[in-house]
């Protein structure tokens, strides 16, 4: 069966993009990274993609008169490559409502907190400032509301007493790299269905693992 083509949008490091590229190397993985698009010319993730033989495109947002015109240019690039799923992976550009509306139910994002807690930026510091004992990451469908679309999957990690924003970010990032390829697989296998704000994942048993932090 033909693999689902994914388009990954990045602005920087690209470690989640790299995790998707690595997962897609497996012969039985149902998706492939067709193109990586960055709005930042020097994004380190671009080189990772190029070294892996993946097509890349740089579309600097500064060259466009407004958000929607930029978004339409990005979208045209994705469509040219036959993309069926857009994966935002550290894409640091707020999109016009046009983009998630155009790609409705075919665009996902990964965010380093357990949404709806701690949307936006400086997310790990927000978790520390709030005294949270558990944080994690969320993969969700993208809607015009920032960090607020239907949640597909989450992974939780403990917040430890000595954590800094950096140590917490690193612990969460390890789980991001597991969660994102897993969700893309489910999407490609046609297992996800959205009903309002809830997403059903067909064929996945409810989790039996509890995380206590601190341990009882
Ligand atoms: C990740 O923490 C992701 O959750 C957030 O931005 C960061 C991107 O990191 N949206 P990378 O570029 O994937 O390494």
């Amino acid at each position: 069966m033909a693999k689902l083509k994914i388009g990954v949008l990045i602005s920087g490091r690209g470690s989640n993009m790299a995790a998707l590229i690595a997962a897609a190397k497996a012969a039985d993985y149902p998706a492939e990274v067709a193109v990586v698009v960055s709005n930042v010319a020097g994004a380190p993730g671009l080189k990772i993609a190029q070294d892996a033989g993946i097509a890349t495109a740089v579309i600097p947002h500064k060259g466009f008169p407004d958000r929607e015109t930029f978004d339409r240019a990005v979208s045209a690039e994705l469509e040219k490559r036959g993309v069926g799923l857009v994966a935002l992976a550290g894409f640091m550009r707020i999109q016009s409502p046009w983009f998630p509306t155009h790609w409705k139910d075919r665009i996902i994002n990964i965010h380093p907190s357990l949404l709806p807690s701690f949307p936006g930026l400086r997310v790990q510091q927000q978790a520390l400032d709030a005294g949270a004992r558990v944080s994690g990451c969320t993969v969700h469908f993208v809607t015009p509301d920032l960090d607020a679309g239907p949640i597909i999957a989450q992974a939780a990690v403990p917040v430890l007493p000595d954590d800094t924003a950096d140590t917490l970010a690193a612990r969460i990032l390890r789980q991001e790299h597991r969660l994102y390829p897993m969700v893309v697989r489910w999407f490609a296998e046609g297992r996800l269905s959205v009903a309002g704000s809830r997403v059903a994942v067909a064929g996945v048993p409810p989790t039996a693992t509890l995380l206590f932090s601190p341990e009882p």
Side-chain angles (χ1 to χ4, degrees):
M1 215 172 86
K3 296 194 179 207
L4 172 76
K5 291 185 193 302
I6 58 178
V8 185
L9 305 195
I10 66 167
S11 300
R13 182 176 59 184
S15 71
N16 278 290
M17 173 213 73
L20 292 171
I21 292 172
K25 277 195 183 145
D28 69 344
Y29 197 77
E32 62 189 354
V33 179
V35 63
V36 171
V37 180
S38 173
N39 64 320
V40 176
L46 286 169
K47 180 162 175 9
I48 300 173
Q50 285 154 4
D51 288 350
I54 310 269
T56 60
V58 176
I59 306 179
H61 57 268
K62 287 205 176 104
F64 294 86
D66 54 43
R67 285 188 199 276
E68 185 174 321
T69 315
F70 167 73
D71 287 350
R72 285 178 182 269
V74 172
S75 195
E77 178 67 33
L78 298 168
E79 275 160 3
K80 192 176 89 188
R81 303 277 180 183
V83 164
L85 173 67
V86 180
L88 306 183
F91 185 61
M92 302 303 287
R93 186 79 194 148
I94 292 177
Q95 297 177 307
S96 66
W98 180 85
F99 197 96
T101 304
H102 182 75
W103 289 93
K104 187 174 185 308
D105 296 342
R106 297 180 300 148
I107 175 167
I108 59 178
N109 180 45
I110 186 156
H111 181 80
S113 77
L114 296 176
L115 291 171
S117 290
F118 317 131
L121 297 174
R122 301 185 67 249
V123 171
Q124 290 83 11
Q125 193 58 50
Q126 288 190 53
L128 293 176
D129 291 347
R133 293 288 195 171
V134 172
S135 191
C137 49
T138 301
V139 179
H140 63 95
F141 283 108
V142 176
T143 62
D145 298 320
L146 191 69
D147 297 333
I151 291 170
I152 305 165
Q154 297 182 304
V157 305
V159 179
L160 301 178
D162 295 336
D163 267 337
T164 63
D166 286 347
T167 59
L168 178 58
R171 188 174 310 118
I172 293 171
L173 194 65
R174 282 196 291 279
Q175 304 314 317
E176 292 185 41
H177 297 163
R178 299 173 65 192
L179 193 70
Y180 218 6
M182 190 178 88
V183 170
V184 168
R185 170 187 280 280
W186 290 341
F187 182 96
E189 290 172 346
R191 295 201 213 194
L192 305 182
S193 50
V194 189
S197 60
R198 303 192 75 169
V199 178
V201 186
V204 176
T207 185
T209 311
L210 293 179
L211 171 62
F212 282 80
S213 173
E215 288 282 353

